């Protein structure tokens, strides 16, 4: 059973930083993409950042480009999101997502699209105050 467990969320003032982690386990196929998504109350889910595991290619939403950095530790099966210069509009529940080789039929469009991913974590809350 695939498990994605996020951690590292919390409350921070504008301009501050947080690092989110996502530990992945229980999968039987190979990981191809991993991503971070967020959803604020009353808003649609938004793809924040994604990474292709083998190449390390990264993808960012325009709203976070230059402030957030996605990275991975393949030995630990852990995904990270370093968030700097946080703004109140970054306040949301942040979710980790995984796409393995068995999800290949989902890969239409950008890796920042939710349809790419077959498994999702439970989320970690990030709150940025002004």
């Amino acid at each position: 059973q695939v498990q994605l467990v996020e951690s590292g969320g919390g409350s921070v003032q504008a301009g501050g930083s947080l690092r989110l982690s996502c530990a992945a386990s229980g999968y039987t196929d190979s990981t191809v993409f991993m991503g971070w998504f967020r959803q604020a109350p009353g808003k649609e889910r938004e793809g924040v950042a994604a990474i292709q595991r083998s190449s390390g290619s990264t993808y960012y939403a325009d709203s976070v480009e230059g402030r957030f950095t996605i990275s991975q530790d393949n030995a630990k099966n852990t995904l990270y999101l370093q968030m700097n210069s946080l703004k109140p509009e970054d306040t949301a529940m942040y979710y980790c997502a995984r796409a393995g080789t068995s999800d290949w039929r989902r890969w239409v469009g950008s890796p920042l699209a939710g349809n790419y991913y077959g498994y999702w974590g439970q989320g970690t809350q990030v709150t940025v105050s002004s």
Side-chain angles (χ1 to χ4, degrees), residues 103-127:
D103 294 311
W104 65 271
R105 292 177 184 85
R106 298 173 175 269
W107 300 340
V108 177
S110 163
L112 291 177
N115 58 267
Y116 254 62
Y117 301 89
Y119 293 96
W120 296 80
Q122 294 299 307
T124 185
Q125 178 68 38
V126 171
T127 302

Side-chain angles (χ1 to χ4, degrees):
Q1 181 178 351
V2 177
Q3 282 194 315
L4 301 174
V5 180
E6 302 97 335
S7 61
S11 297
V12 65
Q13 288 192 327
S17 298
L18 284 173
R19 188 175 84 152
L20 306 184
S21 300
C22 171
S25 63
Y27 44 88
T28 57
D29 60 350
S30 297
T31 299
V32 182
F33 295 97
M34 291 199 73
W36 287 101
F37 291 76
R38 67 186 181 187
Q39 188 166 21
K43 294 190 176 181
E44 291 188 356
R45 184 179 60 193
E46 175 189 18
V48 174
I51 188 166
Q52 186 172 9
R53 179 159 181 155
S54 59
S55 67
S57 296
T58 56
Y59 309 81
Y60 293 98
D62 289 345
S63 58
V64 306
E65 181 85 56
R67 299 188 298 123
F68 291 10
T69 303
I70 189 171
S71 62
Q72 58 188 356
D73 183 332
N74 292 343
K76 296 181 179 179
N77 292 323
T78 300
L79 181 72
Y80 302 100
L81 185 68
Q82 178 67 43
M83 304 186 295
N84 298 330
S85 303
L86 283 161
K87 303 176 181 180
E89 51 263 45
D90 294 318
T91 295
M93 185 71 79
Y94 282 71
Y95 299 90
C96 168
R98 176 191 179 269
T101 49
S102 62
D103 294 311
W104 65 271
R105 292 177 184 85
R106 298 173 175 269
W107 300 340
V108 177
S110 163
L112 291 177
N115 58 267
Y116 254 62
Y117 301 89
Y119 293 96
W120 296 80
Q122 294 299 307
T124 185
Q125 178 68 38
V126 171
T127 302
V128 184
S129 58
S130 57

